[in-house]
Amino acid sequence: MCFLNARSLHKHIKDVRSDLNYSSTDVNIFSETRFYQFDSDDLYLINEKYTLFRYDAPQGASHNTRPFGGTAVYSRLDYYPGYPYCYNKHLGVEITILRFMLISHVTIVAVYRSPTVSVTLLCNAMKDTLESLSSKFNIFIGDFNVNWLKNFHNTPLFNLFIRDNGYRQLVTCSTTDYDNCIDHIYTNLPEGQITFQIVETHFSDHKAICALVNCFCVP
């Protein structure tokens, strides 16, 4: 499963189609898609193996420009009944909830926080989401726009996920071209049941963060 801030998937869909990292992954999640609500799904298909689920950010005041946000999920796994769905209760924080038949005991939460939104509001959104989940094991993956490499930046998320809920943050290296770590993976899966890797991406200033989950792990 890979997550990438694509810096306009609308602009870079051809790059994604030609990149084997994305055409060979079970689940791809992209933020900042910049899809317009009237765009056809056909414009953005990767190949016939994937189903597309999308949330298009609301149009801004100017109708001459595309919205800056938006989330898209490409999956070749069967979804668990009732999934996926959006949980966008907090303005400026995009939350997409995923669950798959293959690993039905794990919920995946894709997150994108606009840099214009306060970290306090982000933490409120994460706490609200945590309380809403029914599964024992969860993975939060996404662009949190909080630099994990600076303690005074990451303290609120550290306290929420690690201190208060017993999660781990897997990504501790740079995830952008600017030597900061703003793309994170939080999980309470036992060690050995999930690993991660960073994938370089030539068309975005973000790197993709990829979670490899052992689908044979015991629920």
Side-chain angles (χ1 to χ4, degrees):
M1 172 176 57
C2 284
F3 179 98
L4 175 69
N5 182 329
R7 295 295 200 187
S8 183
L9 188 57
H10 166 74
K11 179 180 179 180
H12 296 297
I13 188 63
K14 291 183 179 179
D15 296 301
V16 168
R17 288 180 184 135
S18 62
D19 192 322
L20 291 177
N21 289 309
Y22 304 110
S23 60
S24 61
T25 301
D26 289 319
V27 181
N28 291 298
I29 307 165
F30 298 99
S31 65
E32 288 196 29
T33 60
R34 303 201 70 181
F35 292 175
Y36 184 56
Q37 60 180 328
F38 297 116
D39 289 344
S40 168
D41 284 353
D42 293 340
L43 294 173
Y44 302 118
L45 298 181
I46 296 178
N47 61 45
E48 68 281 357
K49 296 179 181 179
Y50 292 93
T51 59
L52 169 60
F53 174 83
R54 55 191 262 199
Y55 163 77
D56 300 339
Q59 189 73 22
S62 172
H63 292 281
N64 296 321
T65 59
R66 288 182 169 271
F68 283 96
T71 299
V73 181
Y74 294 82
S75 175
R76 57 183 184 181
L77 301 182
D78 292 330
Y79 285 107
Y80 193 80
Y83 296 81
Y85 64 90
C86 294
Y87 197 72
N88 300 331
K89 298 177 65 175
H90 300 262
L91 188 64
V93 182
E94 296 178 14
I95 300 172
T96 306
I97 312 293
L98 312 169
R99 201 167 174 181
F100 302 98
M101 294 298 296
L102 187 63
I103 48 170
S104 60
H105 60 292
V106 181
T107 298
I108 294 95
V109 181
V111 178
Y112 170 74
R113 169 210 165 210
S114 167
T116 63
V117 171
S118 71
V119 176
T120 298
L121 192 149
L122 169 67
C123 288
N124 289 341
M126 294 300 94
K127 182 178 179 182
D128 191 30
T129 305
L130 279 164
E131 292 172 350
S132 75
L133 301 179
S134 59
S135 54
K136 180 178 179 181
F137 298 112
N138 306 302
I139 302 168
F140 286 71
I141 184 170
D143 180 359
F144 290 77
N145 268 305
V146 173
N147 189 2
W148 189 259
L149 303 180
K150 294 187 177 181
N151 291 336
F152 62 92
H153 285 177
N154 70 32
T155 297
L157 287 173
F158 178 95
N159 291 344
L160 174 64
F161 280 107
I162 297 173
R163 185 193 66 186
D164 298 342
N165 288 283
Y167 280 61
R168 308 187 315 282
Q169 209 289 85
L170 304 184
V171 187
T172 57
C173 56
S174 173
T175 63
T176 74
D177 293 343
Y178 310 107
D179 293 326
N180 54 29
C181 179
I182 61 177
D183 305 282
H184 307 163
I185 301 173
Y186 299 91
T187 187
N188 61 348
L189 275 169
E191 291 189 30
Q193 295 187 358
I194 181 172
T195 58
F196 89 98
Q197 65 184 38
I198 299 291
V199 174
E200 293 287 345
T201 305
H202 73 275
F203 57 84
S204 173
D205 55 0
H206 285 249
K207 310 174 196 298
I209 52 173
C210 300
L212 292 82
V213 181
N214 179 4
C215 62
F216 300 105
C217 58
V218 179

